[in-house]
Amino acid sequence: MSNKRVCDFEHEAAALEYAAFLEKFETKRTTDDCFTPPEVFAVVHRWVESEYGTGGRRIVRPFHPGGDFVRFDYQPGDLVLDNPPFSILSKIRHFYDEGGIDYFLFAPSLTLFSIKAPTMIVVGENIEYANKANISTSFITSLEPQTRVRTAPALAQAIRSVRPQKPNLPKYVYPKNVTSSALLQKISSVDFSIPANECEFLSAMDAQMDEGKTVFGNGIIMSDRMAAELRAAELRAAELRAAVESVEWRLSSRELAIIERLNAGQSGDLPRAGAKQAALFAGVANG
């Protein structure tokens, strides 16, 4: 058996073992109790090990029903890889940063930047957790302090690969000279008209015949001149929609000064505190 297959087996076995461990608890689940599907944990674990070379480090998961992450028996070199309660994630992050304990934690995508972690990994994959909550999920970590924000396409794809897949419905794109009432609804906010002598009704395009398809609700085929007019109307409608639906926030003089400082590579953010683990362990023991 290859080393890769052995590692994959170990990741999956660890995830299943943890799932079995959770089954022993009867505590009522709250909105924070979003226990991670074992197959998702396995691919995240595998990605972290590959990305950061964490093989050989002890992976710990302090967040379980009735657990106390503060009094957990952390050891030097531990890496916390877990899905913590999102409602206290900033508090958890502060605790680990001040104690010098490395972590890679699941986090909610929509409020990711509010956690102000050393590194925030924007993934945005929807995960259905054991309590049936479907949450857009990203990650925070201490393993890459030189990077504040990044994406991770390989991690996103790995998570996507183990989620139940919904069938992809085809999206049909019509040529510029063909439109329908459903498509014209998008420009109903602007004036647009097609003269009777520059269009004809079209129930189905020739290219659709072999597929047994039609233009939904029937359509119109029009002249090149009207196709260009339609394109211009679409642009006007998009501008109107943007003006109504959005508010443009402008940079202040203070923020412009920040940008000038950042242009020179001078961030004002303080580095993580990184107190020694030994001090944390002593504090926990004395508590």
Side-chain angles (χ1 to χ4, degrees), residues 173-208:
V173 179
Y174 290 96
K176 65 177 183 177
N177 296 77
V178 175
T179 190
S180 67
S181 58
L183 294 173
L184 287 176
Q185 287 181 121
K186 298 177 181 179
I187 64 162
S188 59
S189 60
V190 300
D191 286 325
F192 175 73
S193 61
I194 305 176
N197 65 343
E198 292 193 53
C199 68
E200 292 182 8
F201 290 109
L202 185 71
S203 59
M205 295 181 61
D206 291 345
Q208 293 178 307

mmCIF file of all heavy atoms in Angstrom, residues 173-208:
data_model
loop_
_atom_site.group_PDB
_atom_site.id
_atom_site.type_symbol
_atom_site.label_atom_id
_atom_site.label_comp_id
_atom_site.label_asym_id
_atom_site.label_seq_id
_atom_site.Cartn_x
_atom_site.Cartn_y
_atom_site.Cartn_z
ATOM 1 N N VAL A 173 -27.941 30.035 -23.534
ATOM 2 C CA VAL A 173 -27.559 31.374 -23.966
ATOM 3 C C VAL A 173 -27.989 31.532 -25.420
ATOM 4 O O VAL A 173 -27.610 30.722 -26.275
ATOM 5 C CB VAL A 173 -26.042 31.593 -23.833
ATOM 6 C CG1 VAL A 173 -25.672 32.989 -24.323
ATOM 7 C CG2 VAL A 173 -25.598 31.399 -22.388
ATOM 8 N N TYR A 174 -28.767 32.567 -25.671
ATOM 9 C CA TYR A 174 -29.264 32.809 -27.029
ATOM 10 C C TYR A 174 -28.376 33.813 -27.755
ATOM 11 O O TYR A 174 -27.760 34.682 -27.132
ATOM 12 C CB TYR A 174 -30.703 33.335 -26.974
ATOM 13 C CG TYR A 174 -31.702 32.288 -26.533
ATOM 14 C CD1 TYR A 174 -32.097 32.194 -25.212
ATOM 15 C CD2 TYR A 174 -32.215 31.371 -27.449
ATOM 16 C CE1 TYR A 174 -33.005 31.227 -24.796
ATOM 17 C CE2 TYR A 174 -33.116 30.391 -27.049
ATOM 18 C CZ TYR A 174 -33.503 30.324 -25.720
ATOM 19 O OH TYR A 174 -34.385 29.344 -25.326
ATOM 20 N N PRO A 175 -28.310 33.734 -29.084
ATOM 21 C CA PRO A 175 -27.541 34.730 -29.855
ATOM 22 C C PRO A 175 -28.178 36.107 -29.706
ATOM 23 O O PRO A 175 -29.334 36.245 -29.307
ATOM 24 C CB PRO A 175 -27.631 34.209 -31.289
ATOM 25 C CG PRO A 175 -28.825 33.316 -31.314
ATOM 26 C CD PRO A 175 -28.934 32.723 -29.957
ATOM 27 N N LYS A 176 -27.426 37.130 -30.042
ATOM 28 C CA LYS A 176 -27.853 38.517 -29.814
ATOM 29 C C LYS A 176 -29.135 38.869 -30.560
ATOM 30 O O LYS A 176 -29.867 39.769 -30.155
ATOM 31 C CB LYS A 176 -26.746 39.483 -30.224
ATOM 32 C CG LYS A 176 -26.429 39.461 -31.708
ATOM 33 C CD LYS A 176 -25.372 40.479 -32.092
ATOM 34 C CE LYS A 176 -25.137 40.481 -33.607
ATOM 35 N NZ LYS A 176 -24.171 41.525 -34.003
ATOM 36 N N ASN A 177 -29.435 38.171 -31.651
ATOM 37 C CA ASN A 177 -30.612 38.499 -32.468
ATOM 38 C C ASN A 177 -31.882 37.797 -31.996
ATOM 39 O O ASN A 177 -32.941 37.984 -32.596
ATOM 40 C CB ASN A 177 -30.372 38.127 -33.942
ATOM 41 C CG ASN A 177 -29.258 38.935 -34.562
ATOM 42 O OD1 ASN A 177 -28.091 38.647 -34.313
ATOM 43 N ND2 ASN A 177 -29.604 39.952 -35.348
ATOM 44 N N VAL A 178 -31.780 36.991 -30.951
ATOM 45 C CA VAL A 178 -32.942 36.252 -30.449
ATOM 46 C C VAL A 178 -33.199 36.633 -28.997
ATOM 47 O O VAL A 178 -32.270 36.706 -28.179
ATOM 48 C CB VAL A 178 -32.718 34.724 -30.558
ATOM 49 C CG1 VAL A 178 -33.880 33.960 -29.925
ATOM 50 C CG2 VAL A 178 -32.551 34.313 -32.011
ATOM 51 N N THR A 179 -34.475 36.890 -28.691
ATOM 52 C CA THR A 179 -34.830 37.192 -27.307
ATOM 53 C C THR A 179 -36.215 36.635 -27.020
ATOM 54 O O THR A 179 -36.893 36.099 -27.909
ATOM 55 C CB THR A 179 -34.780 38.712 -27.029
ATOM 56 O OG1 THR A 179 -34.894 38.935 -25.624
ATOM 57 C CG2 THR A 179 -35.906 39.454 -27.758
ATOM 58 N N SER A 180 -36.624 36.737 -25.754
ATOM 59 C CA SER A 180 -37.937 36.254 -25.334
ATOM 60 C C SER A 180 -38.512 37.232 -24.328
ATOM 61 O O SER A 180 -37.818 38.129 -23.837
ATOM 62 C CB SER A 180 -37.813 34.865 -24.698
ATOM 63 O OG SER A 180 -37.102 34.957 -23.465
ATOM 64 N N SER A 181 -39.780 37.038 -23.998
ATOM 65 C CA SER A 181 -40.391 37.944 -23.020
ATOM 66 C C SER A 181 -39.714 37.801 -21.660
ATOM 67 O O SER A 181 -39.558 38.780 -20.924
ATOM 68 C CB SER A 181 -41.886 37.651 -22.889
ATOM 69 O OG SER A 181 -42.113 36.302 -22.498
ATOM 70 N N ALA A 182 -39.279 36.561 -21.321
ATOM 71 C CA ALA A 182 -38.594 36.360 -20.039
ATOM 72 C C ALA A 182 -37.288 37.147 -19.996
ATOM 73 O O ALA A 182 -36.945 37.756 -18.977
ATOM 74 C CB ALA A 182 -38.333 34.872 -19.820
ATOM 75 N N LEU A 183 -36.565 37.168 -21.115
ATOM 76 C CA LEU A 183 -35.307 37.906 -21.162
ATOM 77 C C LEU A 183 -35.541 39.412 -21.171
ATOM 78 O O LEU A 183 -34.787 40.171 -20.553
ATOM 79 C CB LEU A 183 -34.504 37.487 -22.397
ATOM 80 C CG LEU A 183 -34.005 36.035 -22.413
ATOM 81 C CD1 LEU A 183 -33.376 35.695 -23.770
ATOM 82 C CD2 LEU A 183 -32.994 35.794 -21.301
ATOM 83 N N LEU A 184 -36.589 39.851 -21.847
ATOM 84 C CA LEU A 184 -36.865 41.283 -21.926
ATOM 85 C C LEU A 184 -37.341 41.868 -20.597
ATOM 86 O O LEU A 184 -37.280 43.080 -20.401
ATOM 87 C CB LEU A 184 -37.895 41.563 -23.023
ATOM 88 C CG LEU A 184 -37.396 41.424 -24.461
ATOM 89 C CD1 LEU A 184 -38.533 41.634 -25.452
ATOM 90 C CD2 LEU A 184 -36.257 42.408 -24.736
ATOM 91 N N GLN A 185 -37.796 40.997 -19.683
ATOM 92 C CA GLN A 185 -38.187 41.492 -18.359
ATOM 93 C C GLN A 185 -37.032 42.212 -17.658
ATOM 94 O O GLN A 185 -37.239 43.107 -16.855
ATOM 95 C CB GLN A 185 -38.658 40.333 -17.468
ATOM 96 C CG GLN A 185 -40.004 39.780 -17.839
ATOM 97 C CD GLN A 185 -40.424 38.659 -16.913
ATOM 98 O OE1 GLN A 185 -41.445 38.725 -16.256
ATOM 99 N NE2 GLN A 185 -39.618 37.606 -16.862
ATOM 100 N N LYS A 186 -35.808 41.803 -17.988
ATOM 101 C CA LYS A 186 -34.637 42.373 -17.328
ATOM 102 C C LYS A 186 -34.411 43.840 -17.712
ATOM 103 O O LYS A 186 -33.668 44.539 -17.035
ATOM 104 C CB LYS A 186 -33.384 41.551 -17.676
ATOM 105 C CG LYS A 186 -33.458 40.103 -17.201
ATOM 106 C CD LYS A 186 -32.228 39.323 -17.627
ATOM 107 C CE LYS A 186 -32.293 37.872 -17.180
ATOM 108 N NZ LYS A 186 -31.098 37.096 -17.611
ATOM 109 N N ILE A 187 -35.023 44.285 -18.842
ATOM 110 C CA ILE A 187 -34.825 45.676 -19.258
ATOM 111 C C ILE A 187 -36.129 46.468 -19.181
ATOM 112 O O ILE A 187 -36.276 47.516 -19.818
ATOM 113 C CB ILE A 187 -34.241 45.763 -20.683
ATOM 114 C CG1 ILE A 187 -35.233 45.201 -21.708
ATOM 115 C CG2 ILE A 187 -32.902 45.039 -20.775
ATOM 116 C CD1 ILE A 187 -34.930 45.630 -23.114
ATOM 117 N N SER A 188 -37.095 45.984 -18.417
ATOM 118 C CA SER A 188 -38.403 46.656 -18.366
ATOM 119 C C SER A 188 -38.331 48.033 -17.720
ATOM 120 O O SER A 188 -39.302 48.793 -17.779
ATOM 121 C CB SER A 188 -39.415 45.784 -17.611
ATOM 122 O OG SER A 188 -38.963 45.525 -16.291
ATOM 123 N N SER A 189 -37.194 48.382 -17.105
ATOM 124 C CA SER A 189 -37.054 49.696 -16.468
ATOM 125 C C SER A 189 -36.684 50.792 -17.464
ATOM 126 O O SER A 189 -36.645 51.973 -17.108
ATOM 127 C CB SER A 189 -35.988 49.636 -15.365
ATOM 128 O OG SER A 189 -34.731 49.248 -15.906
ATOM 129 N N VAL A 190 -36.395 50.419 -18.720
ATOM 130 C CA VAL A 190 -36.023 51.419 -19.727
ATOM 131 C C VAL A 190 -36.938 51.269 -20.944
ATOM 132 O O VAL A 190 -37.548 50.216 -21.164
ATOM 133 C CB VAL A 190 -34.544 51.271 -20.160
ATOM 134 C CG1 VAL A 190 -33.618 51.442 -18.977
ATOM 135 C CG2 VAL A 190 -34.302 49.933 -20.847
ATOM 136 N N ASP A 191 -37.039 52.335 -21.742
ATOM 137 C CA ASP A 191 -37.844 52.298 -22.961
ATOM 138 C C ASP A 191 -37.114 51.510 -24.051
ATOM 139 O O ASP A 191 -35.932 51.753 -24.322
ATOM 140 C CB ASP A 191 -38.113 53.715 -23.468
ATOM 141 C CG ASP A 191 -39.130 54.438 -22.608
ATOM 142 O OD1 ASP A 191 -40.051 53.757 -22.114
ATOM 143 O OD2 ASP A 191 -38.997 55.662 -22.423
ATOM 144 N N PHE A 192 -37.828 50.580 -24.651
ATOM 145 C CA PHE A 192 -37.262 49.797 -25.747
ATOM 146 C C PHE A 192 -38.420 49.260 -26.576
ATOM 147 O O PHE A 192 -39.428 48.790 -26.029
ATOM 148 C CB PHE A 192 -36.417 48.636 -25.219
ATOM 149 C CG PHE A 192 -35.903 47.717 -26.287
ATOM 150 C CD1 PHE A 192 -34.887 48.119 -27.134
ATOM 151 C CD2 PHE A 192 -36.462 46.460 -26.471
ATOM 152 C CE1 PHE A 192 -34.425 47.290 -28.149
ATOM 153 C CE2 PHE A 192 -35.996 45.610 -27.470
ATOM 154 C CZ PHE A 192 -34.972 46.035 -28.306
ATOM 155 N N SER A 193 -38.315 49.310 -27.892
ATOM 156 C CA SER A 193 -39.371 48.785 -28.763
ATOM 157 C C SER A 193 -38.758 48.210 -30.026
ATOM 158 O O SER A 193 -37.695 48.652 -30.488
ATOM 159 C CB SER A 193 -40.390 49.870 -29.121
ATOM 160 O OG SER A 193 -39.754 50.936 -29.814
ATOM 161 N N ILE A 194 -39.436 47.202 -30.588
ATOM 162 C CA ILE A 194 -38.979 46.544 -31.813
ATOM 163 C C ILE A 194 -40.041 46.762 -32.885
ATOM 164 O O ILE A 194 -41.190 46.317 -32.727
ATOM 165 C CB ILE A 194 -38.765 45.033 -31.590
ATOM 166 C CG1 ILE A 194 -37.811 44.780 -30.413
ATOM 167 C CG2 ILE A 194 -38.227 44.374 -32.857
ATOM 168 C CD1 ILE A 194 -37.638 43.308 -30.079
ATOM 169 N N PRO A 195 -39.713 47.431 -33.978
ATOM 170 C CA PRO A 195 -40.688 47.633 -35.063
ATOM 171 C C PRO A 195 -41.137 46.297 -35.659
ATOM 172 O O PRO A 195 -40.374 45.323 -35.704
ATOM 173 C CB PRO A 195 -39.928 48.461 -36.103
ATOM 174 C CG PRO A 195 -38.786 49.068 -35.354
ATOM 175 C CD PRO A 195 -38.424 48.090 -34.277
ATOM 176 N N ALA A 196 -42.370 46.267 -36.116
ATOM 177 C CA ALA A 196 -42.923 45.026 -36.660
ATOM 178 C C ALA A 196 -42.178 44.539 -37.883
ATOM 179 O O ALA A 196 -42.119 43.328 -38.147
ATOM 180 C CB ALA A 196 -44.403 45.237 -36.998
ATOM 181 N N ASN A 197 -41.580 45.474 -38.648
ATOM 182 C CA ASN A 197 -40.891 45.064 -39.879
ATOM 183 C C ASN A 197 -39.444 44.637 -39.652
ATOM 184 O O ASN A 197 -38.717 44.359 -40.595
ATOM 185 C CB ASN A 197 -40.956 46.182 -40.921
ATOM 186 C CG ASN A 197 -40.193 47.422 -40.485
ATOM 187 O OD1 ASN A 197 -39.872 47.582 -39.302
ATOM 188 N ND2 ASN A 197 -39.900 48.302 -41.435
ATOM 189 N N GLU A 198 -38.990 44.618 -38.371
ATOM 190 C CA GLU A 198 -37.615 44.193 -38.076
ATOM 191 C C GLU A 198 -37.563 42.988 -37.131
ATOM 192 O O GLU A 198 -36.549 42.736 -36.490
ATOM 193 C CB GLU A 198 -36.819 45.367 -37.481
ATOM 194 C CG GLU A 198 -36.565 46.484 -38.480
ATOM 195 C CD GLU A 198 -35.529 47.486 -37.995
ATOM 196 O OE1 GLU A 198 -34.413 47.052 -37.610
ATOM 197 O OE2 GLU A 198 -35.842 48.686 -37.992
ATOM 198 N N CYS A 199 -38.671 42.244 -37.063
ATOM 199 C CA CYS A 199 -38.661 41.039 -36.217
ATOM 200 C C CYS A 199 -39.682 40.033 -36.723
ATOM 201 O O CYS A 199 -40.608 40.381 -37.456
ATOM 202 C CB CYS A 199 -38.946 41.399 -34.757
ATOM 203 S SG CYS A 199 -40.637 41.970 -34.454
ATOM 204 N N GLU A 200 -39.482 38.782 -36.321
ATOM 205 C CA GLU A 200 -40.445 37.710 -36.606
ATOM 206 C C GLU A 200 -40.529 36.814 -35.368
ATOM 207 O O GLU A 200 -39.569 36.714 -34.589
ATOM 208 C CB GLU A 200 -40.000 36.875 -37.819
ATOM 209 C CG GLU A 200 -40.035 37.618 -39.130
ATOM 210 C CD GLU A 200 -39.632 36.732 -40.311
ATOM 211 O OE1 GLU A 200 -39.476 35.494 -40.093
ATOM 212 O OE2 GLU A 200 -39.461 37.262 -41.417
ATOM 213 N N PHE A 201 -41.697 36.157 -35.226
ATOM 214 C CA PHE A 201 -41.842 35.211 -34.126
ATOM 215 C C PHE A 201 -40.992 33.970 -34.397
ATOM 216 O O PHE A 201 -40.808 33.552 -35.548
ATOM 217 C CB PHE A 201 -43.309 34.809 -33.944
ATOM 218 C CG PHE A 201 -44.157 35.915 -33.398
ATOM 219 C CD1 PHE A 201 -45.088 36.558 -34.201
ATOM 220 C CD2 PHE A 201 -44.019 36.315 -32.079
ATOM 221 C CE1 PHE A 201 -45.865 37.578 -33.704
ATOM 222 C CE2 PHE A 201 -44.786 37.333 -31.569
ATOM 223 C CZ PHE A 201 -45.713 37.977 -32.376
ATOM 224 N N LEU A 202 -40.480 33.372 -33.314
ATOM 225 C CA LEU A 202 -39.598 32.197 -33.424
ATOM 226 C C LEU A 202 -39.918 31.260 -32.265
ATOM 227 O O LEU A 202 -39.616 31.560 -31.113
ATOM 228 C CB LEU A 202 -38.133 32.644 -33.365
ATOM 229 C CG LEU A 202 -37.073 31.566 -33.592
ATOM 230 C CD1 LEU A 202 -37.062 31.138 -35.064
ATOM 231 C CD2 LEU A 202 -35.699 32.086 -33.190
ATOM 232 N N SER A 203 -40.532 30.124 -32.575
ATOM 233 C CA SER A 203 -40.887 29.184 -31.506
ATOM 234 C C SER A 203 -39.706 28.307 -31.105
ATOM 235 O O SER A 203 -39.584 27.900 -29.944
ATOM 236 C CB SER A 203 -42.055 28.300 -31.936
ATOM 237 O OG SER A 203 -41.720 27.568 -33.105
ATOM 238 N N ALA A 204 -38.829 28.045 -32.057
ATOM 239 C CA ALA A 204 -37.641 27.233 -31.765
ATOM 240 C C ALA A 204 -36.572 27.551 -32.800
ATOM 241 O O ALA A 204 -36.866 27.764 -33.978
ATOM 242 C CB ALA A 204 -37.973 25.751 -31.791
ATOM 243 N N MET A 205 -35.308 27.590 -32.342
ATOM 244 C CA MET A 205 -34.191 27.777 -33.265
ATOM 245 C C MET A 205 -33.877 26.447 -33.942
ATOM 246 O O MET A 205 -34.119 25.374 -33.376
ATOM 247 C CB MET A 205 -32.963 28.288 -32.503
ATOM 248 C CG MET A 205 -33.137 29.664 -31.895
ATOM 249 S SD MET A 205 -31.639 30.199 -31.033
ATOM 250 C CE MET A 205 -30.448 30.193 -32.391
ATOM 251 N N ASP A 206 -33.342 26.519 -35.149
ATOM 252 C CA ASP A 206 -32.991 25.290 -35.864
ATOM 253 C C ASP A 206 -32.039 24.425 -35.042
ATOM 254 O O ASP A 206 -32.126 23.186 -35.056
ATOM 255 C CB ASP A 206 -32.354 25.626 -37.220
ATOM 256 C CG ASP A 206 -33.359 26.242 -38.190
ATOM 257 O OD1 ASP A 206 -34.575 26.148 -37.915
ATOM 258 O OD2 ASP A 206 -32.918 26.819 -39.200
ATOM 259 N N ALA A 207 -31.100 25.077 -34.329
ATOM 260 C CA ALA A 207 -30.128 24.331 -33.524
ATOM 261 C C ALA A 207 -30.788 23.587 -32.376
ATOM 262 O O ALA A 207 -30.218 22.620 -31.842
ATOM 263 C CB ALA A 207 -29.069 25.293 -32.973
ATOM 264 N N GLN A 208 -32.005 24.015 -32.001
ATOM 265 C CA GLN A 208 -32.700 23.351 -30.889
ATOM 266 C C GLN A 208 -33.496 22.135 -31.338
ATOM 267 O O GLN A 208 -33.869 21.302 -30.502
ATOM 268 C CB GLN A 208 -33.653 24.350 -30.205
ATOM 269 C CG GLN A 208 -32.959 25.489 -29.489
ATOM 270 C CD GLN A 208 -33.963 26.460 -28.883
ATOM 271 O OE1 GLN A 208 -34.853 26.952 -29.577
ATOM 272 N NE2 GLN A 208 -33.821 26.710 -27.585
#
